[in-house]
Every structure is written in structure tokens, then in C-alpha cells.
């Protein structure tokens, strides 16, 4: 499968709110269809199910790219390594592929957290490290602390209703890949006339066209589903191409409709360029 910078597969299965047998079955279904990238987090309380599904799939562990995340309450130098050990115990893995800071935490110095994250990587417990929900300022600070090429990814909300050009541009300049979470805007794209028109022209679904629009921008996608047929549908996004006009038509839908911004966790977000001019 295509990868961003050769490291992260461009398409993964999101697992937020998948639990118990459903989590196991959906991860197994994804691996059967061909997914080789699974996104979990300590906060999703499903690492044990994700790990079990992967280890019992018959695939070698090294063939599946697994991301997990550290919750901000555990960002101190003392707590972070413990949190990672707990994640590895739940997953029943020796290592994860990508370990992210789930949300920024201004109460712990960023340098302390990033040094602990780099130490965990040096100990072989994760292949790569990165961040999530980091603004342009926070990305710059993080790269300043770690040095170039150490952090490889920022996982952020991105879909046709949220303009993330600023974050994408700065990430690129810092050599960070972007993963889009909530890529199908939790289902909003299905009622969109523009997306449905383009989908019809390609004999694809609104989900497939939306995921294709993100991948053609070089953005990694991690749609989540609890339905085997949706998991399969979301995987078939590599055999067609959107034209420049189609890409632009979807991009023109973008505004500032952020769907994930929990009080007490969310930083002061970058504003889309357009809204600054009004
Ligand atoms: N880093 C962070 O802070 C953060 C925050 C949020 C999410 N995430 C990650 O990103 C992943 C994806 O985001 P998300 O789960 O919030 O939203 P999402 O993937 O945009 O939307 C999931 C919803 O869309 C539906 N859906 C997906 N594919 C479909 C299809 N082909 N046809 C019809 N409906 C479809 C699913 O319903 P069905 O189950 O019925 O298919 C589900 O209700 C998460 O699971 C998680 O791994 C990370």
C-alpha cells in the first residue's frame, strides 16, 4: 500500500469507540480486506482487543503498522514511560510503530514530555514518534526541541468542512506527515451534493471520494467503522483519480467547522486563512 514518506501506510482503520468483540472483529475484518495500519490510543480502552486481533490474524506482527497514543495526564518524565509499558502490555506487543502525544498539555513542560518520548523510542518501544492536535506554534516548538527528522507525524482533524492549509503547510516545512482524523466528518459527507455528484461520476461512494481527496493531498487517513461492508468500501480508494477541478470543488467546501474540540484539552487552534481576512 502507498505510504507517506515511506513510513506510514496512507490508509488505516480508526478504532475510537470500538470495544469488546466488535473491536476484535472489525480489526480482523480490516486486516482481511488488506489494511496494514491500525490506529488506537490508551484512552480508547481497546488496546487489548486491537492487539489480540492482530496477533491472532496470522500476519507477522511486523506487517501491521500500529499507532497508539499517550494521554496528556501522563506526560511527566515519570509517568510517560509507565503509560507506554501499560499500552504494550495491553497490546501484548514488544513495540508499537508510532507513538503519539494525544493532545498538548501546557501543564507539563513540552521539553520534559518530548525527552521522555524520545527515551522510549531509544529503548526500542516504538519505531517512530509524533504528536496529535498540535497547532503550528506547537509543532514548531516540538521540532525545535527534538531536532529535525525526529518527529514524523501530527494527527489532526481534517475533512471537507475544515480548512487545515496552515497546519499542512507548516507540517510539510518541518518534515512532518499529517494524518486526518474524523476524515468522513463522522458521516456528514454522505449528505453533501458536491461530493455525491463527484462520487456518481466515478461510480464511487461519498466516503471513497472524500478519502481519495485527502490521500491525493498526501494526507494519511484513518476512517473508523463498525460495519464490515464500510471497512471494505473505505479500503477501495486507490484505483481512481480525482481531477484538479474535482479536488478544487471539494476544497472549496472547507470552512471552520471543527467537530472535535474538547474543553480542557483543545489548544487555541490555528484559524483558517480565509476567516482571518473577514
Ligand atoms: N487524535 C485524536 O484526538 C482523534 C480524535 C478523533 C478521532 N481519532 C481517530 O480517528 C479515527 C476516525 O475518526 P472518527 O471515528 O471520529 O470519525 P470518522 O472516521 O470520520 O467517522 C466515523 C463514522 O462514519 C461512519 N462511516 C465510516 N465509513 C463509512 C462508510 N463507508 N459508509 C457509511 N458510514 C461510514 C461510521 O459509521 P459505521 O460504524 O456505521 O460505519 C462512523 O459513525 C478514530 O476512530 C480514531 O482512531 C483521533
Amino acid at each position: 500500500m502507498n505510504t507517506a514518506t515511506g513510513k506510514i501506510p496512507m490508509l488505516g482503520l480508526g478504532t475510537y469507540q470500538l470495544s469488546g468483540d466488535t473491536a476484535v472483529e472489525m480489526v480482523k475484518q480490516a486486516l482481511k480486506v488488506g489494511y496494514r495500519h491500525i490506529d488506537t490510543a490508551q484512552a480508547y480502552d481497546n488496546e487489548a482487543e486491537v492487539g489480540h486481533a492482530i496477533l491472532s490474524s496470522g500476519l507477522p506482527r511486523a506487517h501491521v503498522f500500529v499507532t497508539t497514543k499517550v494521554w496528556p495526564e501522563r506526560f511527566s518524565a515519570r509517568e510517560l514511560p509507565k503509560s507506554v509499558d501499560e499500552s504494550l502490555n495491553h497490546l501484548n506487543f514488544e513495540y508499537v510503530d508510532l507513538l503519539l502525544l494525544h493532545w498538548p498539555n501546557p501543564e507539563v513542560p513540552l521539553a520534559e514530555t518530548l525527552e521522555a518520548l524520545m527515551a522510549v523510542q531509544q529503548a526500542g518501544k516504538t519505531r517512530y514518534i509524533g504528536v496529535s492536535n498540535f497547532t503550528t506554534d506547537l509543532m514548531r516548538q516540538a521540532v525545535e526541541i527534538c531536532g529535525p527528522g525526529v518527529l514524523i507525524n501530527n494527527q489532526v482533524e481534517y475533512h471537507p468542512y475544515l480548512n487545515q492549509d496552515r497546519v499542512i503547510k507548516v507540517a510539510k516545512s518541518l518534515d512532518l506527515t499529517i494524518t486526518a482524523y474524523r476524515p468522513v466528518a463522522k458521516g456528514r459527507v454522505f449528505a453533501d451534493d458536491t461530493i455525491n455528484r463527484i462520487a456518481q461520476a466515478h461510480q464511487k461512494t461519498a466516503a471513497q471520494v472524500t478519502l481519495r481527496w485527502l490521500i491525493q493531498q498526501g494526507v494519511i487517513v484513518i476512517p473508523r467503522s463498525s460495519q464490515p461492508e464500510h471497512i471494505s468500501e473505505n479500503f477501495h480508494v486507490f484505483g481512481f483519480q480525482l481531477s484538479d477541478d474535482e479536488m478544487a470543488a471539494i476544497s472549496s467546501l472547507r470552512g471552520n467547522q471543527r467537530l472535535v474540540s474538547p474543553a480542557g484539552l483543545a489548544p487555541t487552534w490555528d484559524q483558517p486563512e480565509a476567516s482571518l481576512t473577514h
Side-chain angles (χ1 to χ4, degrees), residues 130-150:
V131 295
S132 177
N133 296 299
F134 268 40
T135 59
T136 53
D137 274 353
L138 286 165
M139 277 192 286
R140 286 195 187 97
Q141 286 174 40
V143 171
E144 180 77 33
I145 293 165
C146 293
V150 176

Side-chain angles (χ1 to χ4, degrees), residues 14-269:
T15 66
Y16 177 52
Q17 292 177 329
L18 294 181
S19 61
D21 289 347
T22 309
V24 175
E25 289 314 312
M26 293 312 116
V27 173
K28 282 189 175 170
Q29 165 70 9
L31 297 174
K32 200 163 104 190
V33 168
Y35 289 68
R36 292 294 179 266
H37 171 184
I38 310 291
D39 182 84
T40 181
Q42 192 162 73
Y44 301 167
D45 204 17
N46 62 13
E47 288 173 315
E49 288 78 6
V50 167
H52 171 67
I54 292 168
L55 294 175
S56 61
S57 69
L59 287 166
R61 162 70 188 92
H63 288 200
V64 187
F65 189 100
V66 181
T67 302
T68 196
K69 313 183 191 91
V70 184
W71 193 245
E73 276 170 13
R74 318 227 27 210
F75 278 7
S76 69
R78 226 176 102 86
E79 279 299 311
L80 189 140
K82 287 196 216 161
S83 167
V84 176
D85 285 343
E86 283 168 22
S87 286
L88 291 175
N89 279 338
H90 290 148
L91 285 157
N92 200 12
F93 288 174
E94 301 283 317
Y95 68 92
V96 288
D97 296 278
L98 178 61
L99 184 65
L100 302 177
L101 302 178
H102 205 146
W103 288 88
N105 181 353
E107 284 171 18
V108 182
L110 187 56
E112 176 179 337
T113 306
L114 288 170
E115 272 152 30
L117 193 67
M118 288 189 282
V120 162
Q121 182 182 29
Q122 275 148 21
K125 294 179 181 184
T126 183
R127 291 171 64 215
Y128 302 113
I129 54 176
V131 295
S132 177
N133 296 299
F134 268 40
T135 59
T136 53
D137 274 353
L138 286 165
M139 277 192 286
R140 286 195 187 97
Q141 286 174 40
V143 171
E144 180 77 33
I145 293 165
C146 293
V150 176
L151 300 167
I152 69 158
N153 182 252
N154 186 12
Q155 184 179 121
V156 296
E157 178 176 346
Y158 188 32
H159 48 67
Y161 310 108
L162 182 64
N163 187 326
Q164 288 282 38
D165 278 353
R166 281 206 164 151
V167 169
I168 292 169
K169 197 163 125 196
V170 170
K172 205 169 176 189
S173 75
L174 296 170
D175 252 346
L176 293 176
T177 55
I178 290 286
T179 299
Y181 74 66
R182 203 148 283 189
V184 296
K186 206 126 194 168
R188 279 197 196 185
V189 299
F190 303 115
D192 192 291
D193 290 345
T194 303
I195 295 174
N196 278 318
R197 175 178 54 74
I198 295 168
Q200 239 175 9
H202 288 273
Q203 295 187 311
K204 291 284 176 185
T205 66
Q208 289 169 325
V209 161
T210 304
L211 297 171
R212 182 73 219 166
W213 170 77
L214 289 160
I215 289 169
Q216 268 184 233
Q217 297 170 60
V219 169
I220 300 154
V221 294
I222 47 169
R224 170 260 192 218
S225 177
S226 57
Q227 306 294 328
E229 62 276 18
H230 293 166
I231 289 178
S232 175
E233 176 184 321
N234 295 347
F235 187 71
H236 293 105
V237 290
F238 294 102
F240 72 109
Q241 191 84 10
L242 299 177
S243 69
D244 290 349
D245 284 352
E246 290 167 336
M247 289 294 291
I250 302 173
S251 295
S252 75
L253 302 171
R254 296 179 310 175
N256 198 12
Q257 291 179 47
R258 195 176 281 282
L259 305 177
V260 184
S261 192
L265 280 176
T268 305
W269 299 112

